[in-house]
Amino acid sequence: RCQMSTFGTALQLVHLGLPLTNVPQGQKRPLGQQWHHKKYAEEDVQRRYTNNPSLNVGICLGPASGVIDIEGDHPDSAEFIKNLFGEIPKTPTYRSSRGIDRLFQYDELFGGLSAVVQLGPKGEMECRLGSGGKGTQSLLPPSTTDGFTREWIIPWCQPAKLPVHVVNAILAAKPEAKAKDKAQQAGDTVGDDFCDRADWHEILEPHEWVYQGQTGDKATWCRPGKD
């Protein structure tokens, strides 16, 4: 199945008016303090992905995008989700390294919950809601982490509404933010923010450095007067 590049996915999100995240190659966490409040225009995406085509791309979840992510990354997830949903509506669906992700419409009733809620005795279904004012995002295909490239099963389409009984099940669950989401709120530095806002082309080219090309996540530059 043909998969577009991360640049193509980022551009598609911009055209749909959806907030995206730019993530370093092979990683899951965007840099900078305010990544969940940033808005990117088409020219921003063009510049960033031209300069670093290996960037991963994600979507901000919650009220900002109106999108949530239902993840099934437990061995028993498929059976649990099938039993809970009954018939699963057609919605954007992709394969991640540990299971299946499905994107659904955000429900305003989730506003009082934490960013991440888990259902099932073993946490078989993880609901990434992006609620509570905290930034939560999910990487989209074809982003790659740990050597695995995400792949669309159902390419991007209008995210479906969650069935009422699934919404009620999420509301009845005990909210529990996972440690990895708490970590996203800490550790941001001025350097992180600078790396998120700045671009090496903007920094070096005014001082006559010459861009030589990209290999993976490594960019090569030539100093003025050198070869």
Side-chain angles (χ1 to χ4, degrees):
R1 180 177 294 156
C2 180
Q3 300 284 331
M4 69 171 67
S5 64
T6 52
F7 166 70
T9 299
L11 204 58
Q12 185 177 36
L13 293 177
V14 169
H15 290 165
L16 291 169
L18 297 173
L20 63 94
T21 59
N22 298 313
V23 183
Q25 181 185 28
Q27 299 184 32
K28 296 181 179 180
R29 180 176 179 271
L31 290 173
Q33 299 177 357
Q34 301 296 321
W35 58 265
H36 50 296
H37 295 304
K38 292 185 181 299
K39 295 182 179 180
Y40 295 98
E42 181 173 338
E43 53 268 27
D44 299 320
V45 171
Q46 292 274 4
R47 175 175 55 81
R48 284 179 176 270
Y49 284 83
T50 297
N51 293 342
N52 190 355
S54 299
L55 283 173
N56 281 338
V57 62
I59 183 172
C60 290
L61 302 172
S65 64
V67 176
I68 68 169
D69 182 2
I70 300 295
E71 291 186 15
D73 56 11
H74 186 276
D76 298 328
S77 290
E79 182 178 0
F80 179 88
I81 292 173
K82 182 179 178 180
N83 290 336
L84 176 63
F85 274 83
E87 182 177 352
I88 301 176
K90 179 182 178 181
T91 201
T93 304
Y94 60 93
R95 192 177 306 280
S96 60
S97 59
R98 295 188 298 173
I100 303 297
D101 289 58
R102 295 177 176 90
L103 304 180
F104 289 92
Q105 293 182 28
Y106 179 85
D107 194 300
E108 292 183 358
L109 294 174
F110 297 149
L113 301 182
S114 60
V116 179
V117 173
Q118 293 196 345
L119 270 66
K122 305 173 186 176
E124 290 93 334
M125 184 170 125
E126 179 176 282
C127 311
R128 300 178 59 79
L129 308 175
S131 302
K134 294 183 178 180
T136 306
Q137 60 110 33
S138 286
L139 292 181
L140 297 179
S143 298
T144 300
T145 54
D146 302 322
F148 183 90
T149 301
R150 289 155 179 77
E151 183 179 57
W152 288 111
I153 298 173
I154 300 177
W156 185 272
C157 56
Q158 175 64 31
K161 288 185 177 181
L162 283 172
V164 173
H165 69 277
V166 177
V167 172
N168 290 335
I170 294 173
L171 294 174
K174 181 180 179 180
E176 182 178 353
K178 294 184 72 174
K180 64 181 181 182
D181 292 287
K182 294 178 181 178
Q184 289 182 350
Q185 309 306 316
D188 289 311
T189 66
V190 173
D192 289 336
D193 190 52
F194 178 79
C195 287
D196 187 55
R197 294 170 184 269
D199 182 273
W200 281 115
H201 289 259
E202 298 171 338
I203 297 168
L204 296 178
E205 287 178 346
H207 300 283
E208 299 183 353
W209 288 61
V210 180
Y211 178 64
Q212 300 293 302
Q214 187 94 13
T215 304
D217 61 349
K218 307 286 186 184
T220 303
W221 291 83
C222 184
R223 291 173 57 189
K226 302 290 184 178
D227 58 5

